[in-house]
Amino acid sequence: MAAGKSDGSSDAASLALRIATVALSVASAAMMASASQRSCAGCVPASQVSVSYSDYSSLKYSLVANIISAALQAAAAWLAARGREGEGKAARSLAELVDTAAQVFLYSSSALAFSVDDFGTCGHRVAGVCKGSGEFCQRVRASGAVSMVAAVALAASKYLKDVPVSTWFKGDETKKAKSGCGRGCHCHH
């Protein structure tokens, strides 16, 4: 949500991508919350018969980070829809802070989800949690992938806000029109 001017189509596309970011963040959180498997061959300790996201604090963080990101982007989308995001320097600064925080949560969430292969218990790296519980790991990785797509949607939304669609295909025409002959005069040679 930068201070740049944009056209109506950019505003609509940016808003649509913000709403998509909310939906993708919620979907990622739901995928993480459903990541569990009853049988866990090769789990440590051997007495553990199931595995769930709640067994790992990193995955709990991932779930909470996606929920926070969804809430932040829902607020940003609401402000954008009401047209309040461009009002004043403080509002623009707050909007940038919200966008940055949401991106941090989304990127860190996806990174943690993608590292599920290296998770163990009590701080020990145990290769094999995914060997014995493939369904669990697939859901965790899918959640991470959806978080990454949400982060890309947010980045695209910010880009559209800063660079209006109407300028995408114009090239250097506006620079040539303003530069004159290049000799510093306004005459026609």
Side-chain angles (χ1 to χ4, degrees):
M1 296 186 194
K5 293 186 178 190
S6 62
D7 59 8
S9 61
S10 290
D11 289 342
S14 180
L15 180 60
L17 285 167
R18 284 191 181 282
I19 293 168
T21 302
V22 173
L24 289 164
S25 295
V26 169
S28 180
M31 292 170 126
M32 186 61 73
S34 68
S36 65
Q37 187 171 341
R38 292 206 184 273
S39 62
C40 182
C43 281
V44 176
S47 61
Q48 184 177 354
V49 293
S50 67
V51 65
S52 172
Y53 84 94
S54 61
D55 296 335
Y56 303 100
S57 58
S58 298
L59 298 181
K60 288 181 196 176
Y61 166 83
S62 183
L63 174 79
V64 171
N66 275 299
I67 292 170
I68 291 171
S69 173
L72 289 172
Q73 283 307 299
W78 180 73
L79 287 172
R82 290 199 49 193
R84 301 258 189 229
E85 66 181 9
E87 292 180 6
K89 188 175 181 178
R92 285 191 303 270
S93 296
L94 179 61
E96 287 295 324
L97 180 63
V98 165
D99 287 342
T100 302
Q103 283 184 317
V104 167
F105 283 124
L106 289 168
Y107 288 134
S108 62
S109 171
S110 60
L112 288 170
F114 290 140
S115 68
V116 69
D117 286 323
D118 296 331
F119 287 177
T121 57
C122 299
H124 301 286
R125 184 176 174 178
V126 178
V129 73
C130 288
K131 287 181 184 176
S133 37
E135 180 184 328
F136 164 74
C137 289
Q138 280 182 318
R139 286 184 190 226
V140 170
R141 286 188 199 111
S143 174
V146 173
S147 285
M148 187 57 71
V149 171
V152 170
L154 176 55
S157 168
K158 290 179 67 166
Y159 178 80
L160 287 175
K161 200 69 177 159
D162 291 339
V163 182
V165 173
S166 61
T167 64
W168 286 8
F169 304 108
K170 287 188 177 180
D172 290 335
E173 295 167 6
T174 56
K175 288 181 185 174
K176 289 177 186 174
K178 292 180 182 176
S179 65
C181 65
R183 295 184 190 157
C185 62
H186 300 287
C187 58
H188 298 286
H189 299 272

